[in-house]
Amino acid sequence: RRRLETNARERRERANERDARKECLGASPASRGWVLGESSKREKTRKTPPKGADAYVLEPKTMKKRTQQLERMSSQAERGTMKKILFYCPDMEKMAREVQANDPDAVELGTIKWRRFPDGYPNIFIENADDIRGRHVAFLASFHDAATIFEQISVVYSLPKMFVASFTLILPFFPTGTFERVDKEGEVPTAVTLARMLSNIPSSRGGPTSTIIFDIHALQERFYFGDGVSPLFESGIPLLLQQLAELQNEDDGDEEIAIAYPDEGACKRFHGFFEDEFAEVVCTKVREGDKRIVTLKEGDPVNKHVVIVDDLVQSGGTLIECMRLLKAKGATKVSAYVTHGVFPNSSWKKFTEPKDASDRFEHFFITDSCPLTVAAVAGQSPFRVMSLAGSIARALRI
């Protein structure tokens, strides 16, 4: 009998605790003051509820604020006007603010404190975590530096578990995309590894994470992602088309523009964007002894302003060889476009400070997917930086 009475009492206490938690609307007892109810009025206010408490409620001001917040969120949800919260890593703050400025009625910025412990490991704090419950949340990442991937992945894995309505990861540049296949036993395709990491992002209330990536190196890499993530592959080419239209207007249509590809892979990838509007030129590489020589495969660059198009640039050597070939074949001007200006070891200086004046490009168009490069080439000819913020803002509305 005593055992049955004890079990019954414990069940009542657990039920009372559940009711108290529901009444507090999810508030954290460790972060807000709790006061005793009718059964213990003589006790003082405590920072945490004692074990077995059966009548705890929030202080009136805190309770009123929380209730008003929930009512406002419910009203916004009914009207479909609730903004998406966009968090970002430190290197992408400028782009995040541009995304918000492109669509201020649909996007608001969240705040994360990026700190480190004395041993160098991340000490990260997401501010106002309670306020993102039930909201649509996105994170703008940059994996250009391998040293920052761990701290960003920590945030990416945490946000979907904060009871958010949906979660979107925006990764403009997928950095390991060029190592997507194995040509020799023993090579490790890191593109697969990163895709697996992203595929294991926890699901939110709305389901799998959506991922926005611009001009991934090879479209077949979409099959590296598992069912835990839904990738959306966007392109920066529409921004280039706008720039080309402006160039044609500046010249009153007198100068003919042609599109060149540095290899067959780039042609297959981007041909569909230009085939109906511009003449096309395809270059290729052939091996002569120990060297690989750039040659003209098809097309006629004579008396044309030729724009070389590719997804990314590293050292820039191939672009320079293509430019020399096209000028030798009769091109009047040569420009270049890449979505991702990686430029390790400041290799962009080859284009701002060419050894030979004849090696200078007319224009070099890049997007702001690689923030360190953007900061380095700002205001330097021949570079023109195009912002992906508008494209991201539109993608977030899907």
Side-chain angles (χ1 to χ4, degrees):
R1 185 169 59 253
R2 285 195 298 272
R3 186 161 57 250
L4 292 174
E5 291 175 352
T6 300
N7 291 341
R9 183 172 62 255
E10 290 177 351
R11 284 196 297 271
R12 287 195 299 272
E13 289 177 353
R14 286 196 295 269
N16 288 335
E17 290 177 358
R18 285 196 299 271
D19 293 342
R21 284 195 294 269
K22 291 179 181 179
E23 187 175 3
C24 292
L25 299 174
S28 171
S31 61
R32 296 184 175 89
W34 290 75
V35 296
L36 296 175
E38 293 295 332
S39 61
S40 305
K41 284 185 177 179
R42 289 172 294 179
E43 301 235 7
K44 294 182 179 180
T45 300
R46 302 185 183 185
K47 291 185 179 180
T48 57
K51 186 176 181 181
D54 61 353
Y56 289 102
V57 295
L58 284 174
E59 292 180 354
K61 289 184 178 179
T62 304
M63 186 66 148
K64 182 179 180 181
K65 179 180 178 181
R66 182 62 175 166
T67 302
Q68 290 175 343
Q69 180 190 41
L70 291 176
E71 289 176 350
R72 182 173 65 255
M73 290 172 62
S74 176
S75 176
Q76 289 176 331
E78 291 174 359
R79 298 194 308 268
T81 60
M82 186 175 292
K83 296 181 179 181
K84 179 165 288 188
I85 302 177
L86 176 61
F87 294 96
Y88 51 89
C89 69
D91 288 321
M92 300 301 272
E93 180 176 358
K94 181 176 182 293
M95 181 185 287
R97 296 194 179 282
E98 291 176 356
V99 171
Q100 196 271 338
N102 268 272
D103 201 352
D105 295 331
V107 178
E108 66 177 270
L109 299 182
T111 303
I112 298 176
K113 291 183 178 178
W114 301 86
R115 304 167 297 193
R116 290 188 178 274
F117 290 109
D119 60 4
Y121 277 87
N123 177 16
I124 304 167
F125 182 76
I126 301 172
E127 294 193 348
N128 302 317
D130 287 347
D131 295 342
I132 71 174
R133 295 176 182 175
R135 303 284 297 276
H136 297 285
V137 174
F139 180 75
L140 179 56
S142 176
F143 290 175
H144 65 280
D145 183 358
T148 67
I149 293 179
F150 175 71
E151 60 187 23
Q152 293 183 67
I153 285 290
S154 299
V155 172
V156 168
Y157 276 38
S158 297
L159 285 171
K161 299 170 71 174
M162 293 182 174
F163 210 64
V164 300
S166 70
F167 179 66
T168 301
L169 170 65
I170 307 161
L171 185 62
F173 174 43
F174 189 78
T176 60
T178 54
F179 206 168
E180 82 284 6
R181 64 181 183 270
V182 172
D183 296 324
K184 182 179 179 181
E185 189 63 36
E187 293 179 339
V188 179
T190 51
V192 178
T193 305
L194 184 55
R196 286 177 177 172
M197 291 171 63
L198 300 183
S199 298
N200 283 285
I201 298 173
S203 296
S204 64
R205 290 174 59 194
T209 293
S210 300
T211 304
I212 302 172
I213 299 173
F214 284 82
D215 289 319
I216 197 167
H217 183 65
L219 288 177
Q220 63 266 26
E221 293 179 44
R222 69 172 66 238
F223 303 111
Y224 297 166
F225 294 87
D227 295 337
V229 66
S230 179
L232 171 65
F233 297 106
E234 293 280 9
S235 178
I237 296 296
L239 299 176
L240 174 62
L241 292 173
Q242 295 175 10
Q243 293 291 322
L244 296 182
E246 292 179 9
L247 290 179
Q248 290 176 322
N249 290 334
E250 291 174 3
D251 297 328
D252 296 324
D254 295 335
E255 186 176 62
E256 183 178 359
I257 294 177
I259 303 298
Y261 307 105
D263 52 45
E264 293 91 335
C267 179
K268 293 178 181 177
R269 178 67 185 280
F270 299 115
H271 166 72
F273 288 98
F274 305 103
E275 59 180 332
D276 296 329
E277 191 171 352
F278 298 96
E280 294 179 301
V281 178
V282 182
C283 299
T284 189
K285 291 181 180 179
V286 296
R287 186 173 295 279
E288 291 186 3
D290 295 333
K291 297 182 179 181
R292 297 188 70 185
I293 308 298
V294 177
T295 63
L296 187 65
K297 181 180 180 181
E298 60 183 82
D300 182 12
V302 175
N303 297 325
K304 295 181 177 68
H305 180 178
V306 182
V307 181
I308 306 171
V309 173
D310 208 352
D311 62 315
L312 62 84
V313 59
Q314 295 274 359
S315 67
T318 299
L319 292 179
I320 292 174
E321 291 299 320
C322 285
M323 178 268 297
R324 290 171 177 168
L325 172 67
L326 293 168
K327 285 189 175 181
K329 295 294 184 179
T332 55
K333 298 177 184 176
V334 178
S335 297
Y337 163 86
V338 296
T339 303
H340 311 296
V342 184
F343 291 119
N345 303 317
S346 300
S347 56
W348 52 267
K349 291 182 179 179
K350 294 179 181 178
F351 300 92
T352 58
E353 305 168 4
K355 295 180 179 180
D356 191 328
S358 63
D359 287 344
R360 178 171 291 276
F361 282 74
E362 186 72 15
H363 305 292
F364 200 128
F365 302 100
I366 63 173
T367 74
D368 53 354
S369 65
C370 298
L372 297 185
T373 297
V374 172
V377 305
Q380 299 203 51
S381 178
F383 287 99
R384 289 193 182 188
V385 180
M386 302 175 294
S387 176
L388 295 172
S391 301
I392 292 173
R394 287 190 294 273
L396 288 176
R397 277 192 170 271
I398 296 176

